[in-house]
Amino acid sequence: MSTPPHHPLPPFGSVVSCHICGAIPAVHTVVRGHQGLVVTLRFLTEEGAFCRTCGTATYRRMTSDTLWQGWWGLLSVFAAPVTMLMNIGARSRIRSLPHPVGNLRPQLAPGRRVLARPPALAIMTVLVLALGSLVVPGLIPDTRPTFTAGDCVRNNAEWPEQDLEEVGCSSPEAEFWISAGDKCWGQDWLLYLDYSAENKPLCAHPMSK
Ligand SMILES: [Zn+2]
């Protein structure tokens, strides 16, 4: 039998073995989970001595479960992240252990990292979509029409608001004709600059009635 690799002394001064598989070294810790159930909530704990393998498996399972079971109540929105924060200590204690040896019973399978499991992937997908819905409209080019001198428009808003739409100059809907900005006078309205196809000031001049 090979000698176990060097490992830090357990905190109790005696060798503790994993309560799941019996391997050493192990560390005594509490792994937490949370379930929010709309009207009730459950705080889950698994306490005991964990070897690195079984502890990692327990941490990953409870954290991942919290990620999809933890949010379904008003208080749980706060309890779930606090639970996961509290697990950071347990996780680092478990991860600081060397590889376990001498297990008497089967060890738990650590499985995939929390971030590679469906609950975390689903949450990240939702976050990406939410972020995308904020960012993408800013990337879509402005669909505001542009005009040049001589065009005729109507305003679908109340001046000084401008929601201009091009209409045929002979159409009864035509309210204003567009002229260059340096010819603005009287009751003309200066157009928002982004209505200008050439980025020059334009005026809306009332059609003669
Ligand atoms: Zn174990």
Side-chain angles (χ1 to χ4, degrees):
M1 184 183 156
S2 62
T3 43
H6 171 79
H7 62 267
L9 277 177
F12 318 112
S14 67
V15 172
V16 286
S17 60
C18 176
H19 79 285
I20 294 168
C21 72
I24 56 165
V27 66
H28 188 97
T29 191
V30 182
V31 184
R32 293 167 203 279
H34 181 75
Q35 288 181 329
L37 304 162
V38 185
V39 287
T40 90
L41 35 105
R42 291 171 65 192
F43 294 92
L44 312 170
T45 57
E46 285 201 20
E47 183 171 4
F50 292 93
C51 71
R52 184 184 169 115
T53 304
C54 299
T56 300
T58 304
Y59 164 79
R60 287 179 178 173
R61 173 174 55 78
M62 294 190 77
T63 303
S64 195
D65 284 354
T66 300
L67 276 178
W68 72 272
Q69 299 173 335
W71 307 100
W72 313 109
L74 210 55
L75 286 171
S76 300
V77 172
F78 304 100
V82 168
T83 300
M84 288 186 278
L85 281 176
M86 290 171 81
N87 269 349
I88 290 176
R91 176 175 176 264
S92 69
R93 297 186 74 190
I94 289 164
R95 281 173 62 121
S96 68
L97 291 171
H99 194 75
V101 291
N103 58 302
L104 311 167
R105 297 176 290 276
Q107 294 179 314
L108 300 179
R112 290 166 153 201
R113 291 181 310 127
V114 171
L115 288 180
R117 296 183 184 211
L121 293 176
I123 287 175
M124 285 190 285
T125 305
V126 168
L127 288 179
V128 166
L129 290 178
L131 212 68
S133 71
L134 292 177
V135 171
V136 168
L139 301 178
I140 294 174
D142 201 344
T143 52
R144 183 171 274 186
T146 55
F147 310 117
T148 52
D151 289 342
C152 293
V153 298
R154 56 176 288 184
N155 186 11
N156 294 317
E158 284 291 317
W159 296 101
E161 290 293 307
Q162 298 180 19
D163 179 11
L164 303 183
E165 175 190 348
E166 184 168 5
V167 291
C169 286
S170 56
S171 148
E173 293 193 307
E175 297 173 339
F176 301 89
W177 59 272
I178 304 298
S179 64
D182 55 357
K183 298 190 184 89
C184 243
W185 52 273
Q187 293 163 26
D188 293 4
W189 294 95
L190 193 62
L191 263 53
Y192 296 156
L193 198 56
D194 32 348
Y195 277 121
S196 170
E198 291 153 351
N199 221 29
K200 291 182 198 153
L202 292 175
C203 284
H205 181 75
M207 309 283 282
S208 46
K209 301 203 168 93

